[in-house]
């Protein structure tokens, strides 16, 4: 009996629908701040560092990193750390948020973070997703959360 070797297809997680997209120098600065924030992450369990930078309508910048806890439900993502810090300083609307992690393609925020970002966003909010290789995707909140919860 002859053995056939079939080609192995990459799983959907290994394929990235993103390709590098042009970004402005200001957007690059926000991504750089997110990378710097990711180095402050406390992630002894997952070893998965994430950084975020929120720009408010007034131009103020707030960085965040993920912070894990042995009781996993008490952990917080970088996006929410940055957003909550901005809100604690009076922010009402996110102008831009940049999020970075060491992923194959641009990092994808979790569902909870998408909903929190949506709470402080409108159609003009810019969401910049990136990775440590410099691959980026620029999206809107409707792109990442098309059917977000609203009251």
């Amino acid at each position: 009996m002859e053995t056939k070797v079939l080609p192995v297809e990459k799983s959907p997680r290994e394929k990235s629908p993103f390709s590098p997209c042009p970004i402005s120098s200001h957007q690059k600065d926000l991504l750089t701040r997110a990378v710097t924030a990711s180095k402050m992450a406390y992630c002894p369990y997952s070893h998965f560092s994430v950084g975020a930078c929120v720009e408010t309508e007034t131009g103020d910048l707030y960085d965040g990193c993920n912070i894990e806890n042995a009781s996993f439900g008490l952990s917080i993502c970088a996006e929410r750390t940055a957003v909550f810090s901005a809100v604690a300083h009076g922010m009402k609307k996110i102008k831009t948020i940049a999020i970075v992690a060491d992923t194959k393609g641009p990092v994808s925020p979790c569902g909870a973070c998408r909903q929190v970002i949506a709470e402080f966003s409108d159609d003009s909010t810019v969401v910049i997703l990136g990775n440590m290789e410099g691959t980026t995707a620029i999206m809107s909140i409707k792109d990442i959360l098309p059917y977000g919860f609203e009251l």
Side-chain angles (χ1 to χ4, degrees):
M1 176 186 253
E2 186 179 327
T3 304
K4 290 185 179 180
V5 178
L6 300 174
V8 178
E9 289 189 34
K10 289 185 175 184
S11 72
R13 271 202 153 324
E14 293 173 338
K15 295 178 183 176
S16 174
F18 305 110
S19 59
C21 65
I23 60 172
S24 70
S25 62
H26 179 66
Q27 291 169 330
K28 185 173 180 163
D29 291 344
L30 297 177
L31 285 167
T32 299
R33 285 183 66 115
V35 168
T36 300
S38 76
K39 294 176 182 170
M40 300 304 294
Y42 178 74
C43 50
Y45 308 105
S46 71
H47 306 288
F48 184 71
S49 300
V50 182
C53 180
V54 167
E55 179 182 21
T56 69
E57 285 186 306
T58 59
D60 294 326
L61 302 175
Y62 296 91
D63 303 331
C65 62
N66 54 316
I67 304 166
E68 295 179 348
N69 189 283
S71 176
F72 293 133
L74 301 180
S75 299
I76 187 167
C77 300
E79 300 91 313
R80 286 182 283 149
T81 302
V83 170
F84 294 162
S85 179
V87 170
H89 286 89
M91 181 203 68
K92 302 292 184 224
K93 182 191 169 295
I94 297 169
K95 178 179 178 183
T96 307
I97 183 167
I99 309 157
V100 173
D102 190 11
T103 49
K104 288 190 181 219
V107 68
S108 178
C110 75
C113 287
R114 291 172 193 225
Q115 187 63 50
V116 167
I117 293 166
E119 182 74 19
F120 299 98
S121 295
D122 63 20
D123 291 341
S124 67
T125 299
V126 177
V127 180
I128 308 167
L129 309 177
N131 68 7
M132 300 302 182
E133 303 289 318
T135 306
T136 58
I138 298 177
M139 308 181 114
S140 70
I141 190 61
K142 294 291 184 194
D143 291 330
I144 67 167
L145 188 65
Y147 300 103
F149 180 78
E150 294 180 24
L151 285 179

